């Protein structure tokens, strides 16, 4: 087996090594059943127990109030861009959207297919290098909800404070769910693809306030109605069994690490190490405005694109993978989600200093 390297990939992203080891064992023989975990019927006692435990850990770690349902759906986070307006914007209703990057734009496009998206703010003119402050936009009085992306994976920006509004919030938390403590109550709906901060690709978590389950127009087909999945505990049809199981392992790992409050401290520390390294020299330049910097995806540039390519190549050779920035902004991006080890950040910082000495 080759030695494990540091994987800075934005998603699917690095997972705790002990989770991978456990999944490896269970994929051959789950809990001495003589069957693989991926051979278990989703209606079997064994798998039902896995699903129940995963949901209850998520509820516990995120402090999800009783009047919210937790769903495990397929179709990726991107399907939610359409499912949200399909379910919540019937009969000519509209909603307010904050355009802070690629994922917000895609959600706005889908909302406009189905209903009306009122884009109250956009940071596109400044290459999405920041998120808005509270008084940078107004929410239209007839809006059903305020939609935003809590962490902009591609640009490396993050809301430190969530929007304050009388309207309910709807949030794409794909790349920072479980990374910091949050209060669920202002939200009507939160969703997150698992593959950034929770587990493997294949499952999308939706946390939805239960009174919203009844406002879906009759014209919406069965599989696209939240109520369909809520009524059947995400087992209306075959759920993404493997992904749900691995999410459960990741949540156990997170609980053993000390839960969300503890991982938030660690995440702050890791991000601070990298931002310090970027700030202490003119050789590196952060993409995100300081007030909007993400703890999860750290985006930065070097003096030239050639140096950026060289850093990516040299880093790979030194055992740091996945540092190339997204094609839409170039540069570098270090994704350091919950499961990314602190030592990997320490080592990268050292590598960057050495790279500057040689090439600066
Ligand atoms: C990755 C990502 C998505 C897209 O997720 P898919 O599961 O591939 O559809 C959406 N939103 C954010 C914030 C992301 O980081």
């Amino acid at each position: 087996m080759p030695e494990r390297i540091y994987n800075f990939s934005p998603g699917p992203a690095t997972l705790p090594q002990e989770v991978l080891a456990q999944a490896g064992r269970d994929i051959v023989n789950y809990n001495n059943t003589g069957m693989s975990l991926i051979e278990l019927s989703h209606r079997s006692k064994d798998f039902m127990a896995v699903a129940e435990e995963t949901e209850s850990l998520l509820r516990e770690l995120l402090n999800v109030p009783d009047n919210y349902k937790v769903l495990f759906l397929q179709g990726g986070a991107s399907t939610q861009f359409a499912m949200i307006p399909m379910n919540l914007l019937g009969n000519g209703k509209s909603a307010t959207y904050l355009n802070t990057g690629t994922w917000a734009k895609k959600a706005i496009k889908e909302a406009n297919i189905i209903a009306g998206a009122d884009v109250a703010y956009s940071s596109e003119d400044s290459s999405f290098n920041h998120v808005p402050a509270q008084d940078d936009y107004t929410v239209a009085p007839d809006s059903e909800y305020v939609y935003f992306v809590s962490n902009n994976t591609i640009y490396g920006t993050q809301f430190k404070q969530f929007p304050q509004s009388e309207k309910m919030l709807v949030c794409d938390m794909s790349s920072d769910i479980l990374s910091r403590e949050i209060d669920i109550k202002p939200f009507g709906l939160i969703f997150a693809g698992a593959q950034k901060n929770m587990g493997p690709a294949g499952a999308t978590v939706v946390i939805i306030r239960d009174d919203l389950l009844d406002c879906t127009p009759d014209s919406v087909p069965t599989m696209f109605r939240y109520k369909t999945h809520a009524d059947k505990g995400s087992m209306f049809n075959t759920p993404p069994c493997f992904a749900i199981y691995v999410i459960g392992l990741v949540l156990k790992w997170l609980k053993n690490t000390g839960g969300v409050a503890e991982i938030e401290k660690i995440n702050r520390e890791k991000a601070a190490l990298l931002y310090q390294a970027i700030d202490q020299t003119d050789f590196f330049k952060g993409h995100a405005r300081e007030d909007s910097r993400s703890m999860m995806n750290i985006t930065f540039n070097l003096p030239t694109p050639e140096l950026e390519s060289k850093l990516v190549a040299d880093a790979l050779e030194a055992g740091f993978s996945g540092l190339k920035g997204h094609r839409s902004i170039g540069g570098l991006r270090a994704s350091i989600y919950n499961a990314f080890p602190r030592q990997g950040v320490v080592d990268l910082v050292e590598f960057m200093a050495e790279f500057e000495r040689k090439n600066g």
Side-chain angles (χ1 to χ4, degrees):
M1 283 254 281
E3 209 182 311
R4 196 159 159 80
I5 62 162
Y6 289 122
N7 177 9
F8 290 89
S9 165
T14 200
L15 291 173
Q17 198 161 4
E18 63 218 72
V19 165
L20 301 177
Q22 182 69 49
R25 290 191 289 275
D26 289 347
I27 234 167
V28 178
N29 180 6
Y30 179 68
N31 213 6
N32 284 321
T33 53
M35 287 183 282
S36 164
L37 134 88
I38 54 173
E39 297 171 324
L40 298 177
S41 161
H42 61 293
R43 314 265 179 217
S44 67
K45 206 165 91 270
D46 284 304
F47 185 76
M48 296 288 274
V50 168
E52 268 161 40
E53 188 178 23
T54 303
E55 180 182 335
S56 90
L57 279 166
L58 193 64
R59 285 184 170 278
E60 180 187 337
L61 287 163
L62 278 179
N63 257 313
V64 179
D66 289 343
N67 63 324
Y68 286 75
K69 297 282 186 192
V70 174
L71 312 177
F72 295 89
L73 306 183
Q74 303 195 57
S78 299
T79 296
Q80 294 309 308
F81 301 163
M83 234 172 121
I84 290 164
M86 281 166 93
N87 282 270
L88 303 183
L89 297 182
N91 303 324
K93 292 175 184 165
S94 71
T96 296
Y97 278 70
L98 304 177
N99 180 15
T100 56
T102 307
W103 299 117
K105 264 177 97 163
K106 290 190 175 186
I108 290 163
K109 181 169 175 241
E110 297 305 296
N112 275 323
I113 291 173
I114 290 145
D118 170 30
V119 181
Y121 186 84
S122 173
S123 50
E124 187 158 19
D125 288 348
S126 49
S127 21
F128 294 121
N129 72 351
H130 66 281
V131 297
Q134 190 58 42
D135 50 13
D136 288 341
Y137 59 91
T138 31
V139 176
D142 61 347
S143 266
E144 286 299 308
Y145 57 78
V146 179
Y147 181 104
F148 70 107
V149 181
S150 53
N151 183 71
N152 296 279
T153 324
I154 292 174
Y155 300 92
T157 65
Q158 188 174 31
F159 282 83
K160 309 278 155 204
Q161 240 128 33
F162 295 148
Q164 310 275 310
S165 177
E166 293 157 24
K167 309 291 182 184
M168 67 179 173
L169 304 178
V170 169
C171 186
D172 178 353
M173 284 194 194
S174 291
S175 54
D176 69 351
I177 192 166
L178 293 160
S179 70
R180 54 176 168 172
E181 290 192 292
I182 57 165
D183 176 14
I184 303 271
K185 289 190 294 294
F187 293 89
L189 188 151
I190 291 169
F191 69 99
Q195 71 273 23
K196 310 293 175 31
N197 210 17
M198 261 186 307
T204 302
V205 165
V206 173
I207 302 169
I208 181 171
R209 216 176 59 207
D210 57 14
D211 61 289
L212 298 173
L213 297 171
D214 293 316
C215 59
T216 306
D218 292 342
S219 59
V220 175
T222 311
M223 275 296 283
F224 300 99
R225 309 174 75 87
Y226 289 118
K227 193 167 191 322
T228 300
H229 303 285
D231 284 351
K232 299 285 182 192
S234 302
M235 299 262 185
F236 173 75
N237 67 328
T238 318
C241 299
F242 177 69
I244 291 171
Y245 154 82
V246 181
I247 293 170
L249 292 183
V250 170
L251 296 177
K252 270 183 234 171
W253 165 85
L254 180 54
K255 189 174 169 177
N256 289 337
T257 304
V260 174
E262 184 58 28
I263 208 77
E264 177 173 352
K265 268 191 234 151
I266 300 170
N267 286 335
R268 282 187 195 290
E269 244 183 74
K270 289 190 306 194
L273 283 170
L274 252 172
Y275 285 121
Q276 266 162 32
I278 289 166
D279 288 343
Q280 74 188 14
T281 153
D282 292 334
F283 189 67
F284 301 110
K285 190 172 177 312
H287 174 78
R289 218 168 68 182
E290 237 168 278
D291 61 0
S292 301
R293 283 175 160 180
S294 167
M295 288 198 289
M296 301 273 95
N297 311 95
I298 283 86
T299 46
F300 59 101
N301 290 87
L302 271 65
T304 66
E306 290 71 33
L307 279 168
E308 289 169 346
S309 302
K310 183 162 170 33
L311 190 143
V312 171
D314 288 5
L316 189 57
E317 218 156 278
F320 307 101
S321 147
L323 283 169
K324 193 171 179 334
H326 189 269
R327 58 192 180 279
S328 56
I329 59 163
L332 285 297
R333 169 174 53 173
S335 298
I336 50 171
Y337 301 117
N338 286 357
F340 191 92
R342 185 180 183 280
Q343 190 59 44
V345 177
V346 172
D347 292 358
L348 177 68
V349 164
E350 199 178 301
F351 171 84
M352 284 164 59
E354 180 68 21
F355 185 87
E356 183 184 354
R357 261 196 302 281
K358 285 190 202 143
N359 301 281

